[in-house]
Amino acid sequence: MKKTSTRLADGRELIYYDLRDDTVRDAVDRRPLERTVTTSEVRRDPLLGDSVAIASHRQGRTYHPPKDECPLCPSQGERLSEIPDSSYDAVVFENRFPSLAGDSGRCEVVCFTSDHNASFADLTEEQARLVLDAWTDRTSELSHLPSVEQVFCFENRGAEIGVTLGHPHGQIYAYPFTTPRTALMLRSLAAHKDATGGENLFDAVLESELAGERVVLEGEHWVAFVPYAAHWPYEVHLYPKRRVPDLLGLDEEARTEFPQVYLELLKRFDRIFGEGEPPTPYIAAWHQAPFGALEDFEGVGRDDFALHLELFTIRRTSGKLKFLAGSESGMNVFINDIRPEAAAQRLREVASS
């Protein structure tokens, strides 16, 4: 992997990740952009104890542009985009309309490929490995920023999810706090460790799932399963079998196998609802240990956390979505329409050819 860092016309950082070491990236952003001004701030809810990002400037962000005006495609002639070069393998840049900025963190866009019509599942194993390396590199770099406590790499796919740009891409949020979902995991981790005299909860969950009926896909270094208490109609958790706290902890064997397992998993997601159905909308979310202090979680350190990816869709059957209505949105109590065991069976049945 070759990494080349440059700046866009408004001062934002852009980084090319190339498969070939001899690739030269010297294209200049020719757009007449003024420096980006953001109004992001983080406010803490005194009742719930969580944080909310207020980012009113995002109302003006690019919204479903026509294909020939896609800002994530490479620049061609006088059609200038966020990527100055005429081609790329993978690229990361600071979001022009960030939810978090400055002392409130940082937001980046990750473009998986220059092919506008592709999806992550269409990548080659070499391309998918390059994206994994880019995620890892950005996790390392962002973790050193003084305003950053947790790094979250994720992909939203599909208009039903709320995606406003059709080009295959994901995002990275670098939060100035530990997110509520991660805090819940850390509290459960601490309580289990205390109650069992030191047993790791992630290890116990993984051992139980490996022995059960909800495993969807298993390799030498990774395992994918539908969790016992799945929140979403089709939800799969992907774990490395050797516990590590973050992407930086993965060894070469796990990095090599990841594209094989993950690409197969994504292809199965697109087959859930049968041939001829639109591509399955999904969210793919990496969970990594916070880089900040963990004093609030007594007895737990970063190495106790287990890196994992959660992949889920909001589609519950053909043509029908799972809406977060009263119980889910009002009380955060999920009601799942599909038994996790049935979801796992379906995902085993639709193995790609």
Side-chain angles (χ1 to χ4, degrees):
M1 179 187 78
K2 181 181 180 182
K3 175 183 175 182
T4 306
S5 180
T6 185
R7 292 281 172 180
L8 296 173
D10 55 7
R12 289 175 293 131
E13 185 177 19
L14 179 142
I15 306 159
Y16 293 99
Y17 292 91
D18 286 295
L19 294 168
R20 292 174 54 95
D21 289 337
D22 60 353
T23 303
V24 176
R25 298 295 184 188
D26 55 7
V28 176
D29 185 3
R30 295 181 284 125
R31 296 174 298 171
L33 297 180
E34 297 181 357
R35 283 199 169 269
T36 300
V37 177
T38 64
T39 58
S40 297
E41 62 173 307
V42 174
R43 298 184 181 182
R44 190 163 181 80
D45 186 319
L47 294 179
L48 298 180
D50 58 11
S51 298
V52 178
I54 309 297
S56 57
H57 63 277
R58 284 174 52 79
Q59 286 281 33
R61 64 188 184 275
T62 307
Y63 187 81
H64 292 300
K67 179 180 176 180
D68 61 357
E69 296 179 18
C70 174
L72 305 185
C73 287
S75 293
Q76 298 290 339
E78 295 305 309
R79 197 196 69 78
L80 307 178
S81 72
E82 290 279 65
I83 297 92
D85 215 322
S86 59
S87 67
Y88 64 84
D89 292 331
V91 69
V92 177
F93 59 88
E94 288 184 73
N95 197 322
R96 190 177 178 188
F97 304 96
S99 301
L100 307 164
D103 293 338
S104 296
R106 175 160 158 151
C107 292
E108 298 182 340
V109 177
V110 184
C111 297
F112 305 139
T113 171
S114 60
D115 184 354
H116 182 88
N117 297 315
S119 68
F120 201 116
D122 297 320
L123 301 183
T124 65
E125 290 184 12
E126 186 180 33
Q127 289 174 307
R129 168 60 190 267
L130 182 65
V131 175
L132 175 64
D133 289 343
W135 283 331
T136 305
D137 180 69
R138 296 313 302 153
T139 295
S140 176
E141 293 292 325
L142 293 169
S143 71
H144 291 98
L145 296 179
S147 63
V148 172
E149 189 166 310
Q150 185 173 349
V151 179
F152 176 45
C153 306
F154 65 100
E155 179 192 0
N156 298 328
R157 205 277 287 266
E160 299 96 326
I161 295 293
V163 174
T164 57
L165 297 175
H167 196 101
H169 73 288
Q171 299 181 66
I172 302 176
Y173 277 21
Y175 297 102
F177 50 81
T178 297
T179 62
R181 190 172 177 84
T182 302
L184 285 173
M185 292 184 196
L186 291 168
R187 291 190 191 101
S188 296
L189 187 63
H192 185 84
K193 187 174 184 179
D194 181 64
T196 60
E199 182 181 66
N200 184 280
L201 179 57
F202 286 109
D203 292 350
V205 167
L206 190 56
E207 181 181 358
S208 174
E209 293 291 359
L210 279 166
E213 59 180 312
R214 290 179 297 276
V215 172
V216 173
L217 190 62
E218 183 177 359
E220 184 179 353
H221 304 282
W222 294 85
V223 60
F225 58 87
V226 177
Y228 170 73
H231 289 58
W232 298 94
Y234 290 93
E235 174 182 341
V236 176
H237 293 191
L238 179 61
Y239 276 71
K241 290 184 177 179
R242 182 178 70 87
R243 173 164 45 90
V244 295
D246 51 42
L247 290 165
L248 284 71
L250 293 174
D251 58 24
E252 183 57 31
E253 290 79 9
R255 292 181 182 280
T256 299
E257 187 181 80
F258 171 78
Q260 305 164 23
V261 176
Y262 189 49
L263 291 174
E264 170 65 17
L265 193 57
L266 291 179
K267 289 171 184 175
R268 293 191 189 193
F269 252 60
D270 272 341
R271 291 168 177 251
I272 294 173
F273 303 104
E275 298 294 335
E277 287 291 318
T280 301
Y282 66 73
I283 293 174
W286 280 108
H287 291 267
Q288 306 192 77
F291 289 94
L294 300 179
E295 289 92 350
D296 292 340
F297 313 100
E298 187 174 352
V300 170
R302 289 196 78 249
D303 289 341
D304 292 311
F305 195 87
L307 167 77
H308 61 284
L309 181 143
E310 296 183 7
L311 174 69
F312 59 89
T313 180
I314 63 171
R315 186 181 292 165
R316 56 187 174 87
T317 189
S318 179
K320 297 179 181 179
L321 301 181
K322 165 65 177 177
F323 291 102
L324 299 190
S327 186
E328 292 88 354
S329 295
M331 284 293 151
N332 201 28
V333 177
F334 276 69
I335 300 169
N336 195 344
D337 302 296
I338 298 177
R339 281 180 56 82
E341 293 75 19
Q345 177 62 32
R346 176 60 180 159
L347 285 162
R348 287 193 295 268
E349 291 172 351
V350 294
S352 64
S353 57

